[in-house]
Amino acid sequence: MTLGTQIPHSPDRDRTPAPGSTAERYLTALRALGVQTLFVNAGTDFAPLVEAYAQEGSGGRYPVPVLAGHENVVAGMAHGAYLMTGQPQAVMFHVSVGTANAVCAVINAARERVPMIVTAGRTPILEDGAVGARDTAIHWAQEMYDQAGMVREVVKWDYELRSAAQVEAVVRRAVSVACAQPRGPVYLTLPREVLAGPATDGPRGAAPVAVPAGPAPDPTAVRELADRLAEARYPVVVTTAAGADPDAVEMLSQLCERYAIGVAEAGPRYLNVPADHPFHLGLPTEAFGEADVLLFLECDVPWIARRGAPRDDAFVAQAGLDPLTSAYPMRTQRLDLGITTATTSLLTALDAAMADRADRIPPERADTLAVRAAEHRHRLEATFAGPTSGAITKPLLSRALAEVLDDDAVVFNEYWADPRILRRRTPGTYFYLPAAGGLGWALPAALGAKHAAPERTVVAAVGDGAYLFANPAACHHASAKHGLPVLTVVANNARWDAVDASTRSVYPDGVAVRTDESRLSDLSPQPAFARYVEASGGHGEEVTDLDGLRPALRRALHAVQVEGQQALLDVRCAR
């Protein structure tokens, strides 16, 4: 947030907003349409909203304001709150500069189809002559020709509120567009003098929001897919984000178990099926060699050619709200059948179609898939088995975290926590960094989740680089301010692993690999991260060896669950 220096003005230009301001009407409309919380990072454009909240009295008419010290934290909190509630969330920033700080988080929300009502003040249009007109020099410097242009490529709709008469219609439009499938953020600018003006004309009351139902699959396509799946020798469903709808988790699990269909996960960003599903085959590359029919369900990047691809003779179907992932400028993985559909709609229709074809399923298929799933589990256990003392590695940290968390705990993972080791089983308990990779997401999202579901244990699993991106001082301040005790586990190896991994991938035999070139990835010397949380009254520890890891995790969980304190473990990991 960037604020200008206030300059004095003459008493005859002081104006008090009239009762029933547009700001009051706007906040009332948000609440009437189900927006319970307004996550904010405020500035000079908020004056009418400040006055409206001051006049609210005991509260209840407007969304509850939740303040955080950085826009990325604000938007991340709204993202996490949506993941817990499934309800649209609203945020507001300070004009152009506040929006600029939040663009990364808005891109994350767009790629994950989060219905976020992103609002920002707009520099007063009028230079004089109205309540809310320009009264500080920064109002000239912060004005842009096209403020919404910063986010237009990733939001579904953008608009500027122009009159009190249209408040309810504009808010209704924003909520309905954001919630229509595929969901996503919208952007609304609010000029200060419009918010400050009287709201005496136009219709009142908020009509119900009409959100179109999600698309249903084409019946002919469902029949073809069911024929292929029923007659296949080795059919596999591959998913990345089916679990974005928690109801889909059980439906997909039962479909695969009932009709002997394997399931694999490509970079899962949600819990899509329980980790102990009897036909869980692991990564899709582990199944590509045998799979003769593949259904890629909500996979924005179904496979990466250099890491493995389906057989040339395999039948490939892709299904989801946007099976071609049309928001991505280039994405050409082949498909033999494409189905535009909501996940649960497809699973419902496919279950019925498969029931009619159950007698065509090869009887030996279930045994084959069960054997392959068991082989996958054995490989996994062998790969991630390790010592119980000595240096800490990220796989060993994942294993320790899995051992101390209960099934209801919610994990927000930004890179290091391996879902294959965490073995989560309950829908809505695992979320991975959004597809856009906008860093600094997990800790703010964990805070928003805790605000929306205070009874849940919430964990942010972050690397040291991602933790720095999260504006940790602002995050821990928000945790203390709003009473949001979350556990942050920092896997700290003092470098950006993603940069090193990319270099190894592109130049496996290059000089950089041979010489361990690290000037663009080395983050040492690292701060004492535990002090960050202690500065906001939380529990902080540095952990350096495996012997101390599990006791430290249990102490941190006790601080969060029993003492109501936020906690952070700075876990020094081997490179």
Side-chain angles (χ1 to χ4, degrees), residues 130-151:
V131 177
R134 299 183 186 189
D135 59 6
T136 182
I138 207 166
H139 288 152
W140 280 263
Q142 289 181 335
E143 184 175 25
M144 299 180 70
Y145 289 103
D146 185 12
Q147 179 175 310
M150 288 187 285
V151 294

Side-chain angles (χ1 to χ4, degrees), residues 14-15 60 93 112 119 130 133 157 169 179 190 203-204 217 219 231 259 297 326 331 336 344 400 482 497 499 527:
D14 285 328
R15 302 176 178 92
F93 311 122
E112 292 306 310
T119 61
W157 171 86
C179 292
L190 305 168
R204 295 302 181 104
E231 296 168 4
Y259 302 112
L297 179 60
S326 57
R331 187 268 207 190
D336 302 306
T344 54
H482 301 294
D497 276 347
V499 176

Side-chain angles (χ1 to χ4, degrees), residues 9-48:
H9 52 273
S10 60
D12 63 334
R13 294 180 63 187
D14 285 328
R15 302 176 178 92
T16 302
S21 70
T22 302
E24 294 178 64
R25 191 165 166 181
Y26 169 71
L27 292 171
T28 301
L30 276 178
R31 183 63 181 260
L33 292 177
V35 177
Q36 302 295 313
T37 308
L38 180 61
F39 296 93
V40 302
N41 184 276
T44 58
D45 43 342
F46 278 65

Side-chain angles (χ1 to χ4, degrees), residues 462-469 490-496 523 526 529:
V462 299
D464 47 316
Y467 180 63
L468 291 170
F469 268 107
V490 182
N492 185 353
N493 64 356
R495 68 195 300 156
W496 276 320
L523 296 177
Q526 287 287 39
F529 288 146

Side-chain angles (χ1 to χ4, degrees), residues 476-494:
H476 295 306
H477 168 264
S479 177
K481 178 177 177 63
H482 301 294
L484 306 173
V486 303
L487 169 58
T488 305
V489 182
V490 182
N492 185 353
N493 64 356

